[in-house]
Amino acid sequence: MSNATAEHQLANGAKGLKNQKTRRRVLDVITHVFLALMGIIWITPIVWVFLESFNKNQGAYQNTFFPTKFTFDNYVKLFTETDVMNFPQMFMNTFIVAIFVCLISMFFVLSVAFCMSRLRFHFRKTFMNIALILGMFPSIMAVVAIYFILKAMGLTSGSNTLIALIIVYSASTGAGFYVMKGYMDTIPASLDEAAYLDGCTRWQVFWKIIVPICKPMIVYQAITGFLAPWLDFVMAGVIARDQHGWTVALGLWNMLQKEYIYQWYTRFAAGAVCVSIPIAILFIVMQRFYQEAMSGSVKG
């Protein structure tokens, strides 16, 4: 190979490498610009709701997109003026229901997933197939039947509404065991066998071996179990027939009705901010458990 040919190949290689770097930089710039635009689109409604909660001017129709005058009175009135809408009671109702549903759903899902993953019995596959098929149907299909059942039990009025909501949100959570079971299937069976050889019962294996390893999935289940009643509107709207049993979703929706929207529009924004606080706290508290897995198990 002559020197001229070698130099020509080196020049072409350097030129190709330079073009590749240029294309990569252009793609990086386009990607970052696109992500920046998506970030702005995503965060703009959040910033608007937060600023609107401090808006001094009431009413849904404003001359500017963002408020120009600010006050803290919207938060004060939201929690003090309870004659028309008792937001503190709605907030407490939702918090109570969410806590109970979170705990009950975690126990149900862990129990069913452990049975499906670690135990072998008749009709096991049949049950999993039935649960899978039923999970394909939206829960909204059973709303009417659920309401009349709860009404016959006297759970659709007064303080009994909270019991009804807890039952409804918790009853079917055990059927959503597939994600938890898939995670338990990845745990080596040798851990169970070693624990059984050391004299552990099934409960001890479940509580001291499986549960600590499943902490990341428990965090996921706790978050989803808490958010389901916290954000649900349809089921709460059907079951809660009076304001004593309203959740925050129903309260915020009614604040935007024609007869209330002028007086309650900015308070709606304040309520939306207050609703997001427990969710943010839950994520902050729970996120550290995502990094814990095998190191948390003990045998005894």
Side-chain angles (χ1 to χ4, degrees), residues 18-298:
K18 183 177 180 180
N19 292 335
Q20 185 178 2
K21 289 181 178 179
T22 302
R23 287 195 299 269
R24 185 180 302 171
R25 289 176 181 175
V26 172
L27 290 176
D28 289 343
V29 171
I30 295 174
T31 301
H32 284 82
V33 170
F34 175 77
L35 292 176
L37 291 175
M38 291 298 100
I40 294 173
I41 294 173
W42 176 79
I43 202 172
T44 298
I46 300 175
V47 174
W48 177 83
V49 170
F50 180 77
L51 294 178
E52 189 68 23
S53 66
F54 295 97
N55 193 353
K56 190 175 182 179
N57 300 320
Q58 294 183 346
Y61 304 101
Q62 307 288 337
N63 295 326
T64 58
F65 183 75
F66 291 109
T68 56
K69 298 179 181 180
F70 300 92
T71 181
F72 200 74
D73 291 342
N74 296 323
Y75 289 91
V76 175
K77 294 178 180 179
L78 183 68
F79 286 93
T80 56
E81 297 183 3
T82 58
D83 296 335
V84 179
M85 293 190 188
N86 195 339
F87 184 80
Q89 183 181 17
M90 301 174 197
F91 191 92
M92 186 56 62
N93 290 344
T94 312
F95 187 77
I96 293 173
V97 173
I99 290 295
F100 276 97
V101 172
C102 178
L103 297 176
I104 295 172
S105 64
M106 277 195 297
F107 178 76
F108 282 178
V109 171
L110 283 170
S111 301
V112 177
F114 178 78
C115 293
M116 296 297 108
S117 177
R118 287 305 197 253
L119 305 182
R120 296 296 181 267
F121 50 89
H122 293 294
F123 304 111
R124 173 178 168 272
K125 291 185 178 180
T126 303
F127 174 80
M128 289 194 294
N129 291 333
I130 292 174
L132 180 62
I133 293 173
L134 292 178
M136 296 178 181
F137 294 92
S139 58
I140 192 68
M141 295 176 62
V143 167
V144 177
I146 291 173
Y147 171 73
F148 281 106
I149 292 173
L150 295 174
K151 185 178 180 180
M153 298 171 62
L155 298 177
T156 56
S157 61
S159 58
N160 293 333
T161 304
L162 300 184
I163 301 176
L165 290 174
I166 293 173
I167 293 175
V168 170
Y169 291 131
S170 303
S172 61
T173 53
F177 63 88
Y178 268 93
V179 176
M180 186 71 72
K181 176 190 175 295
Y183 189 87
M184 288 185 182
D185 288 341
T186 63
I187 301 174
S190 58
L191 293 177
D192 303 26
E193 296 170 357
Y196 287 131
L197 289 175
D198 287 347
C200 289
T201 63
R202 283 179 177 172
W203 170 256
Q204 289 174 322
V205 171
F206 170 73
W207 186 251
K208 294 186 177 182
I209 303 296
I210 302 300
V211 170
I213 297 176
C214 292
K215 281 184 179 179
M217 290 306 303
I218 292 175
V219 172
Y220 164 78
Q221 184 59 43
I223 292 174
T224 55
F226 185 88
L227 292 182
W230 194 265
L231 302 177
D232 178 69
F233 171 79
V234 176
M235 195 66 69
V238 172
I239 297 174
R241 309 306 297 176
D242 55 73
Q243 192 173 145
H244 295 289
W246 280 5
T247 60
V248 289
L250 290 174
L252 294 177
W253 180 77
N254 279 278
M255 290 179 188
L256 298 181
Q257 297 304 303
K258 183 171 61 175
E259 61 269 28
Y260 302 122
I261 189 169
Y262 178 80
Q263 184 180 0
W264 288 86
Y265 188 74
T266 52
R267 299 185 206 181
F268 160 82
V273 174
C274 293
V275 167
S276 65
I277 293 176
I279 300 175
I281 294 175
L282 181 66
F283 273 94
I284 293 173
V285 172
M286 291 293 189
Q287 66 178 351
R288 64 187 183 92
F289 293 107
Y290 279 114
Q291 300 176 355
E292 301 180 11
M294 297 294 289
S295 61
S297 63
V298 295

